[in-house]
Amino acid sequence: MTASNPTPLTSDDDWWRTAVVYQVYVRSFADSNGDGVGDLRGVRERLPYLRDLGVDALWLTPFYTSPMVDGGYDVADYRDVDPMFGTLTDFDAMITDAHALGLRIIVDLVPNHTSSAHPWFTAALAAAPGSPERARYLFAEGRGAHGELPPNDWESIFGGPAWTRVPDGQWYLHLFDPAQPDLNWRHPEVRAEFEDVLRFWLDRGVDGFRIDVAHGMIKAEGLPDVGFSSMTTGRRQSELLGKGRLPYFDQDEVHEIYRAWRPILDSYPGGRMAVAEAWAETPQRLARYIGPDELHQAFSFDFLDATWSADSFRKVIDTALVEATIVGAPTTWVLSNHDKQRHVTRYGDGEVGLRRARAASLLMLALPGCAYLYQGEELGLPEVLDLPDELRQDPSFLRTGESRDGCRVPIPWSGELAPYGFGPEGGEPSWLPAPATWAALSVAAQSGVPGSTLELYRTALGIRHSHPALGPDAGEVNWLETTGPGVLAFRRAVGEAELTCVVNLSDAEVLIDGYGRPVAASADLTEQGVGHVLPVDAAAWFDRR
Ligand code: NOJ
């Protein structure tokens, strides 16, 4: 092992419980060499920006060797960096600098499937049915008189059947693209391999892992039919994600994998953690992924999916808080990521969407637990809805017409012309084009501008770090029922220090009185008597010490 940076930050093993983690979609963050694609050197160069923003950790989306059929979630070598993103040496330099700046690094682990270019899969294709090489994946005989029908009715999340037939007549399972064959997690070699991959990155100093499709690795014995599909009913099985049971997701046996991983993480110093990207039928089943003997966190996608209403937010927040408390884990909030329409656009787009997105971010950052930010949300970026079809790269676009490219457009750093400082002067155009309107949203354009979204995030993150009522020892959420329908207000306190967050989701402005001094607001407050008027679609924090 020649890792150049085996030393993680060790100051606080529980850092992840209250951290703000910034998701770096590496391809779209910063391009150091002018090829139009973001890379690890670009991340390294921009670390001071992230330190100054006030985040605690970065989650980097996959940068491993990959044909990039699914943006790197098709991994051909789990222990190397794709040349498009740099080298292992670049990774080591990046993590060394990050740690020196006090930033922790979480990497993405993709254990449910490999790329079809992975040596295990090419060996499986070259070998015969029933061979040990095929046993690492999920190959099966087809149905029908000549095996011409898929082994069961399972659908790919990206649309169409989850099975592809190979020339000798067998079929293999891919819950995502055909270029992402699912591994057989009942095979001991698969388990041993990923335990080794975990150690490889832990030895290089990573502070944690984001586990891709954490609910997917174990499939129900006998591969039973779901019972309906788009072919038979027009209803896609993926509609049940997070709402119902599917034989290929959230099987009880998957927890054995995490119980084997946890001692590995715990054997390293410095609080190494893992966060599950898991979809389960209920918050209760989701909570089973977290706790002292499994993973540390699971994203609350119910929070991300909440509609713009006080009832909707209140319900998901309360449920997530209860479930997390039962298992002794922190809640894990997220509003945007690389798979979902950006929250500015989800909440209405344009001016209204931006106002609501800023308010929702203040709400999230006042809640207990850990919060994940997605690059560009601190700039108030909207989803890019009008990308030309021929530029879209999401594999699900071809199969379903739905595309996640609009939230993956490279972020604007500076200047008047696209790609707005994403790459060096005179470099290639960015791999997805940024809209002409983004000059005003760049980091440079918003820096130091009072009221800009970037300054709002900087202020909020600064307070989150310094205010005792938002810190690791802070109390729980105390809802205040005094502000009227459509208004969410809660207080957190420790000792004499109190911070109250108020979000106005009603259609009338509200007068806030008696909560203390406003210290952050997503829209201008006006003084009225001793109180303050909070406009519609806005949030504010009030401090009393
Ligand atoms: C979830 C990832 O976030 C998404 O981008 C990817 O397409 C699928 N998992 C498959 O790996």
Side-chain angles (χ1 to χ4, degrees):
M1 177 71 241
T2 55
S4 65
N5 181 48
T7 317
L9 295 172
T10 52
S11 54
D12 172 14
D13 283 5
D14 274 343
W15 64 272
W16 44 273
R17 288 183 174 272
T18 52
V20 175
V21 183
Y22 183 98
Q23 181 190 350
V24 175
Y25 193 71
V26 180
R27 240 191 337 173
S28 302
F29 186 66
D31 166 19
S32 73
N33 60 0
D35 64 357
V37 179
D39 46 46
L40 291 176
R41 282 182 183 218
V43 177
R44 184 180 175 204
E45 286 166 6
R46 303 288 185 172
L47 290 171
Y49 165 76
L50 297 171
R51 190 258 331 263
D52 294 345
L53 179 62
V55 301
D56 305 290
L58 317 184
W59 148 33
L60 305 184
T61 49
F63 48 77
Y64 316 110
T65 315
S66 167
M68 296 296 284
V69 171
D70 182 23
Y73 284 95
D74 47 321
V75 181
D77 183 348
Y78 288 86
R79 297 180 186 78
D80 207 352
V81 173
D82 195 280
M84 168 186 283
F85 298 122
T87 62
L88 275 175
T89 309
D90 293 332
F91 178 83
D92 292 339
M94 186 276 302
I95 197 169
T96 301
D97 281 13
H99 285 170
L101 291 170
L103 295 167
R104 289 180 161 89
I105 298 292
I106 296 171
V107 296
D108 221 310
L109 188 71
V110 190
N112 179 67
H113 43 265
T114 68
S115 159
S116 51
H118 190 286
W120 275 5
F121 194 71
T122 49
L125 286 186
S131 60
E133 288 83 357
R134 289 216 173 166
R136 297 186 191 117
Y137 291 90
L138 293 160
F139 280 85
E141 300 302 327
R143 297 204 268 210
H146 309 284
E148 73 281 8
L149 299 172
N152 64 23
D153 68 359
W154 295 3
E155 282 180 325
S156 157
I157 302 298
F158 292 162
W163 296 91
T164 288
R165 201 171 193 194
V166 300
D168 59 43
Q170 277 206 313
W171 299 73
Y172 69 89
L173 179 73
H174 52 85
L175 292 179
F176 295 88
D177 192 82
Q180 294 167 294
D182 279 54
L183 285 163
N184 172 12
W185 271 86
R186 293 199 174 91
H187 195 301
E189 272 181 46
V190 171
R191 296 202 181 204
E193 168 69 359
F194 277 88
E195 291 179 8
D196 193 67
V197 169
L198 283 175
R199 289 198 176 90
F200 178 87
W201 292 102
L202 289 164
D203 287 340
R204 289 200 109 81
V206 305
D207 302 282
F209 298 90
R210 177 262 188 190
I211 312 298
D212 188 61
V213 200
H215 53 303
M217 282 110 92
I218 297 289
K219 281 75 182 173
E221 291 279 11
L223 310 177
D225 278 341
V226 171
F228 74 89
S229 67
S230 349
M231 300 279 277
T232 55
T233 61
R235 228 179 114 213
R236 280 175 62 187
Q237 292 170 4
S238 60
E239 285 174 24
L240 288 185
L241 264 186
K243 297 188 191 77
R245 296 301 291 280
L246 287 163
Y248 44 85
F249 283 150
D250 194 29
Q251 302 295 304
D252 290 344
E253 209 183 315
V254 80
H255 295 283
E256 283 172 20
I257 298 169
Y258 303 126
R259 286 194 284 269
W261 285 6
R262 185 58 181 258
I264 298 175
L265 294 169
D266 287 348
S267 71
Y268 284 78
R272 315 292 179 103
M273 54 73 77
V275 53
E277 185 237 357
W279 295 86
E281 185 178 9
T282 59
Q284 292 72 27
R285 285 194 71 87
L286 181 66
R288 298 173 73 207
Y289 288 80
I290 50 182
D293 64 344
E294 294 204 25
L295 303 175
H296 300 68
Q297 305 175 331
F299 293 116
S300 171
F301 291 125
D302 286 345
F303 183 71
L304 186 151
D305 284 337
T307 52
W308 185 255
S309 86
D311 288 349
S312 170
F313 275 116
R314 171 85 189 250
K315 191 162 158 258
V316 298
I317 292 169
D318 278 340
T319 308
L321 288 170
V322 167
E323 292 311 318
T325 310
I326 291 171
V327 293
T331 38
T332 305
W333 311 110
V334 57
L335 285 168
S336 280
N337 66 29
H338 67 292
D339 290 332
K340 295 285 184 175
Q341 196 173 65
R342 284 184 177 277
H343 61 289
V344 167
T345 303
R346 285 204 319 272
Y347 296 146
D349 216 27
E351 214 175 294
V352 170
L354 179 59
R355 284 174 65 83
R356 292 177 173 175
R358 289 161 54 108
S361 300
L362 272 194
L363 163 66
M364 173 170 77
L365 292 173
L367 290 169
C370 179
Y372 281 75
L373 310 180
Y374 177 48
Q375 67 178 39
E377 73 170 73
E378 79 279 21
L379 304 175
L381 297 186
E383 186 83 1
V384 180
L385 298 170
D386 58 356
L387 285 170
D389 286 354
E390 62 278 13
L391 296 183
R392 293 186 186 268
Q393 297 203 8
D394 184 349
S396 74
F397 181 61
L398 289 180
R399 293 173 145 239
T400 64
E402 287 164 19
S403 139
R404 299 165 294 176
D405 294 297
C407 61
R408 300 175 177 180
V409 172
I411 63 169
W413 291 94
S414 59
E416 296 303 315
L417 293 176
Y420 308 110
F422 169 65
E425 200 71 23
E428 293 290 318
S430 55
W431 70 278
L432 284 175
T437 45
W438 278 18
L441 296 176
S442 75
V443 171
Q446 296 195 44
S447 285
V449 176
S452 70
T453 305
L454 178 56
E455 293 303 336
L456 175 67
Y457 271 74
R458 285 178 173 153
T459 301
L461 292 171
I463 295 171
R464 190 179 153 106
H465 275 279
S466 60
H467 200 293
L470 296 184
D473 304 320
E476 53 203 26
V477 166
N478 284 307
W479 293 106
L480 310 173
E481 309 294 352
T482 54
T483 27
V487 180
L488 285 179
F490 61 90
R491 177 170 298 151
R492 300 186 60 208
V494 59
E496 296 291 296
E498 283 179 9
L499 191 122
T500 303
C501 173
V502 188
V503 194
N504 185 2
L505 301 102
S506 77
D507 50 16
E509 57 187 30
V510 283
L511 178 65
I512 313 289
D513 188 3
Y515 294 164
R517 185 175 62 94
V519 284
S522 67
D524 288 339
L525 305 178
T526 42
E527 287 185 32
Q528 189 171 310
V530 287
H532 292 88
V533 173
L534 180 66
V536 172
D537 294 333
W541 291 358
F542 298 87
D543 170 39
R544 191 158 59 194
R545 285 187 239 200

